[in-house]
């Protein structure tokens, strides 16, 4: 309904319409309506590329959103291309250590891990972690997913001992973060691995 209102008040290719279409696509993804979600994410990306330019920072967000869906659908090749394009845009227009690169690099790391490219995955996770530590400090709750992913990476390689410091650090952050109480999904996930 919100999309219909936006489209009736604005042009069909207005950036605000793209934001609404992106939000709809995210809901469809959660509902596991992947084909509809992909159409919406691609539409939002096209609107942003056409109205803002292919190198605009907002295009990077659309690329990431579509890549997350494609990874979920196991279209790893296109997903990786889109993630890397999003990183390139943000590096070019922001900087190579901008905080918004953290989630993108974490996503790339997870994608690479699923494809058994452990060395590249570790490098992406470590870079994401370094960026977050620089901007947020070493004990911020937003570090927990990257720490967890590093622990999982080593565990999946049959080397849980190397993953132990990462999961212990994640558990310590969870224990000391009021925003991550014991019942929080992240705390539960870390607790299971720890």
């Amino acid at each position: 309904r919100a999309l219909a209102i936006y489209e009736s008040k604005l042009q069909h290719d207005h950036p605000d319409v793209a934001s609404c279409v992106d939000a709809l696509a995210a809901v469809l993804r959660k509902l596991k309506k992947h084909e509809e979600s992909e159409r919406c994410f691609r539409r939002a990306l096209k609107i942003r590329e056409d109205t803002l330019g292919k190198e605009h920072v907002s295009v990077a967000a659309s690329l990431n959103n579509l890549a997350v869906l494609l990874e979920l659908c196991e279209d790893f090749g296109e997903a990786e291309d889109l993630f890397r394009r999003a990183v390139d845009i943000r590096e070019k227009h922001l900087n190579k250590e901008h905080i918004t690169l953290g989630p993108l690099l974490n996503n790339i790391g997870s994608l690479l891990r699923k494809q058994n490219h452990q060395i590249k995955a570790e490098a992406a996770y470590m870079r994401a972690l370094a960026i977050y530590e620089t901007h947020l400090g070493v004990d911020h709750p937003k570090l927990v997913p990257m720490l967890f992913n590093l622990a999982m990476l080593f565990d999946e390689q049959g080397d849980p001992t190397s993953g132990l410091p990462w999961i212990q650090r994640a558990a310590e952050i969870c224990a000391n973060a009021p925003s991550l109480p014991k019942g929080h999904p992240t705390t539960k996930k870390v607790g299971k691995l720890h």
Side-chain angles (χ1 to χ4, degrees):
R1 186 172 167 203
L3 178 58
I5 293 169
Y6 270 112
E7 288 178 329
S8 71
K9 301 290 182 192
L10 304 169
Q11 295 176 345
H12 288 277
D13 62 350
H14 192 279
D16 288 346
V17 171
S19 296
C20 192
V21 172
D22 242 353
L24 174 60
V27 170
L28 291 168
R29 181 180 62 211
K30 286 185 183 198
L31 294 172
K32 299 187 182 342
K33 296 183 176 185
H34 295 151
E35 287 180 22
E36 293 172 70
S37 178
E38 182 177 346
R39 277 194 301 275
C40 289
F41 278 134
R42 288 190 189 280
R43 179 178 173 208
L45 175 60
K46 181 168 179 16
I47 291 170
R48 287 190 173 131
E49 286 179 332
D50 290 349
T51 58
L52 303 172
K54 292 183 184 279
E55 295 293 313
H56 193 276
V57 174
S58 293
V59 169
S62 286
L63 291 166
N64 179 69
N65 292 341
L66 178 56
V68 168
L69 174 68
L70 293 174
E71 177 184 357
L72 185 64
C73 296
E74 298 186 353
D75 185 349
F76 298 136
E78 186 178 2
E80 184 175 353
D81 291 344
L82 296 176
F83 280 138
R84 293 199 184 279
R85 188 172 154 217
V87 167
D88 290 344
I89 290 169
R90 288 196 175 151
E91 285 179 341
K92 180 178 177 184
H93 294 285
L94 302 172
N95 67 55
K96 292 186 184 283
E97 300 303 317
H98 196 273
I99 193 165
T100 61
L101 287 168
L104 279 172
L105 292 165
N106 188 57
N107 289 345
I108 289 172
S110 294
L111 177 77
L112 292 168
R113 192 176 100 212
K114 286 178 184 174
Q115 297 176 83
N116 295 316
H117 300 300
Q118 280 79 9
I119 293 171
K120 291 178 181 178
E122 182 180 357
Y125 286 145
M126 293 300 291
R127 184 168 170 219
L129 181 62
I131 288 169
Y132 264 27
E133 287 175 336
T134 298
H135 291 279
L136 303 172
V138 296
D139 59 354
H140 195 281
K142 285 193 175 186
L143 274 64
V144 172
M146 281 160 259
L147 296 168
F148 180 82
N149 286 339
L150 279 162
M152 288 297 300
L153 178 71
F154 289 109
D155 190 58
E156 290 165 2
Q157 292 177 44
D159 186 11
T161 304
S162 293
L164 189 59
W166 301 112
I167 201 64
Q168 287 174 327
R169 187 171 160 205
E172 186 176 314
I173 291 171
C174 287
N176 295 318
S179 64
L180 295 174
K182 288 185 180 179
H184 191 280
T186 300
T187 306
K188 287 181 181 179
K189 191 163 76 168
V190 169
K192 285 181 186 176
L193 190 60
H194 188 245

